[in-house]
PDB file of all heavy atoms in Angstrom:
ATOM      1  N   THR A 169      74.922  24.122   7.152  1.00  0.00           N
ATOM      2  CA  THR A 169      76.242  23.552   7.457  1.00  0.00           C
ATOM      3  C   THR A 169      76.282  22.053   7.164  1.00  0.00           C
ATOM      4  O   THR A 169      77.354  21.492   6.944  1.00  0.00           O
ATOM      5  CB  THR A 169      76.602  23.789   8.933  1.00  0.00           C
ATOM      6  OG1 THR A 169      75.558  23.263   9.765  1.00  0.00           O
ATOM      7  CG2 THR A 169      76.769  25.283   9.206  1.00  0.00           C
ATOM      8  N   VAL A 170      75.102  21.437   7.155  1.00  0.00           N
ATOM      9  CA  VAL A 170      74.989  20.029   6.776  1.00  0.00           C
ATOM     10  C   VAL A 170      73.763  19.882   5.878  1.00  0.00           C
ATOM     11  O   VAL A 170      72.836  20.702   5.928  1.00  0.00           O
ATOM     12  CB  VAL A 170      74.848  19.086   8.003  1.00  0.00           C
ATOM     13  CG1 VAL A 170      76.110  19.123   8.861  1.00  0.00           C
ATOM     14  CG2 VAL A 170      73.625  19.451   8.833  1.00  0.00           C
ATOM     15  N   LEU A 171      73.777  18.863   5.053  1.00  0.00           N
ATOM     16  CA  LEU A 171      72.644  18.602   4.172  1.00  0.00           C
ATOM     17  C   LEU A 171      71.572  17.825   4.928  1.00  0.00           C
ATOM     18  O   LEU A 171      71.846  16.731   5.429  1.00  0.00           O
ATOM     19  CB  LEU A 171      73.109  17.801   2.959  1.00  0.00           C
ATOM     20  CG  LEU A 171      72.031  17.502   1.902  1.00  0.00           C
ATOM     21  CD1 LEU A 171      71.612  18.795   1.210  1.00  0.00           C
ATOM     22  CD2 LEU A 171      72.555  16.497   0.880  1.00  0.00           C
ATOM     23  N   PRO A 172      70.353  18.377   5.035  1.00  0.00           N
ATOM     24  CA  PRO A 172      69.301  17.635   5.743  1.00  0.00           C
ATOM     25  C   PRO A 172      68.971  16.333   5.020  1.00  0.00           C
ATOM     26  O   PRO A 172      68.855  16.313   3.793  1.00  0.00           O
ATOM     27  CB  PRO A 172      68.104  18.590   5.709  1.00  0.00           C
ATOM     28  CG  PRO A 172      68.659  19.926   5.351  1.00  0.00           C
ATOM     29  CD  PRO A 172      69.876  19.668   4.533  1.00  0.00           C
ATOM     30  N   LYS A 173      68.813  15.276   5.786  1.00  0.00           N
ATOM     31  CA  LYS A 173      68.358  14.023   5.175  1.00  0.00           C
ATOM     32  C   LYS A 173      66.876  14.126   4.828  1.00  0.00           C
ATOM     33  O   LYS A 173      66.449  13.677   3.765  1.00  0.00           O
ATOM     34  CB  LYS A 173      68.599  12.845   6.123  1.00  0.00           C
ATOM     35  CG  LYS A 173      68.247  11.487   5.517  1.00  0.00           C
ATOM     36  CD  LYS A 173      68.572  10.363   6.478  1.00  0.00           C
ATOM     37  CE  LYS A 173      68.338   9.005   5.822  1.00  0.00           C
ATOM     38  NZ  LYS A 173      66.959   8.785   5.383  1.00  0.00           N
ATOM     39  N   ARG A 174      66.107  14.748   5.724  1.00  0.00           N
ATOM     40  CA  ARG A 174      64.670  14.926   5.517  1.00  0.00           C
ATOM     41  C   ARG A 174      64.337  16.402   5.689  1.00  0.00           C
ATOM     42  O   ARG A 174      64.742  17.025   6.665  1.00  0.00           O
ATOM     43  CB  ARG A 174      63.879  14.095   6.522  1.00  0.00           C
ATOM     44  CG  ARG A 174      64.157  12.591   6.487  1.00  0.00           C
ATOM     45  CD  ARG A 174      63.597  11.919   7.735  1.00  0.00           C
ATOM     46  NE  ARG A 174      64.188  12.480   8.954  1.00  0.00           N
ATOM     47  CZ  ARG A 174      63.787  12.190  10.185  1.00  0.00           C
ATOM     48  NH1 ARG A 174      62.769  11.360  10.373  1.00  0.00           N
ATOM     49  NH2 ARG A 174      64.376  12.748  11.232  1.00  0.00           N
ATOM     50  N   LEU A 175      63.587  16.931   4.736  1.00  0.00           N
ATOM     51  CA  LEU A 175      63.284  18.355   4.744  1.00  0.00           C
ATOM     52  C   LEU A 175      61.804  18.582   4.476  1.00  0.00           C
ATOM     53  O   LEU A 175      61.238  18.012   3.532  1.00  0.00           O
ATOM     54  CB  LEU A 175      64.115  19.068   3.663  1.00  0.00           C
ATOM     55  CG  LEU A 175      63.953  20.582   3.532  1.00  0.00           C
ATOM     56  CD1 LEU A 175      64.451  21.294   4.783  1.00  0.00           C
ATOM     57  CD2 LEU A 175      64.718  21.080   2.302  1.00  0.00           C
ATOM     58  N   LEU A 176      61.186  19.418   5.296  1.00  0.00           N
ATOM     59  CA  LEU A 176      59.792  19.818   5.111  1.00  0.00           C
ATOM     60  C   LEU A 176      59.773  21.261   4.625  1.00  0.00           C
ATOM     61  O   LEU A 176      60.405  22.132   5.233  1.00  0.00           O
ATOM     62  CB  LEU A 176      59.026  19.704   6.434  1.00  0.00           C
ATOM     63  CG  LEU A 176      57.596  20.263   6.451  1.00  0.00           C
ATOM     64  CD1 LEU A 176      56.687  19.445   5.541  1.00  0.00           C
ATOM     65  CD2 LEU A 176      57.049  20.292   7.884  1.00  0.00           C
ATOM     66  N   ILE A 177      59.071  21.520   3.519  1.00  0.00           N
ATOM     67  CA  ILE A 177      58.946  22.875   2.985  1.00  0.00           C
ATOM     68  C   ILE A 177      57.484  23.289   3.052  1.00  0.00           C
ATOM     69  O   ILE A 177      56.607  22.606   2.515  1.00  0.00           O
ATOM     70  CB  ILE A 177      59.463  22.961   1.544  1.00  0.00           C
ATOM     71  CG1 ILE A 177      60.958  22.615   1.510  1.00  0.00           C
ATOM     72  CG2 ILE A 177      59.227  24.353   0.963  1.00  0.00           C
ATOM     73  CD1 ILE A 177      61.557  22.582   0.129  1.00  0.00           C
TER      74      ILE A 177
END
Side-chain angles (χ1 to χ4, degrees):
T169 55
V170 295
L171 183 68
K173 184 177 185 300
R174 302 166 301 172
L175 181 65
L176 172 66
I177 298 176

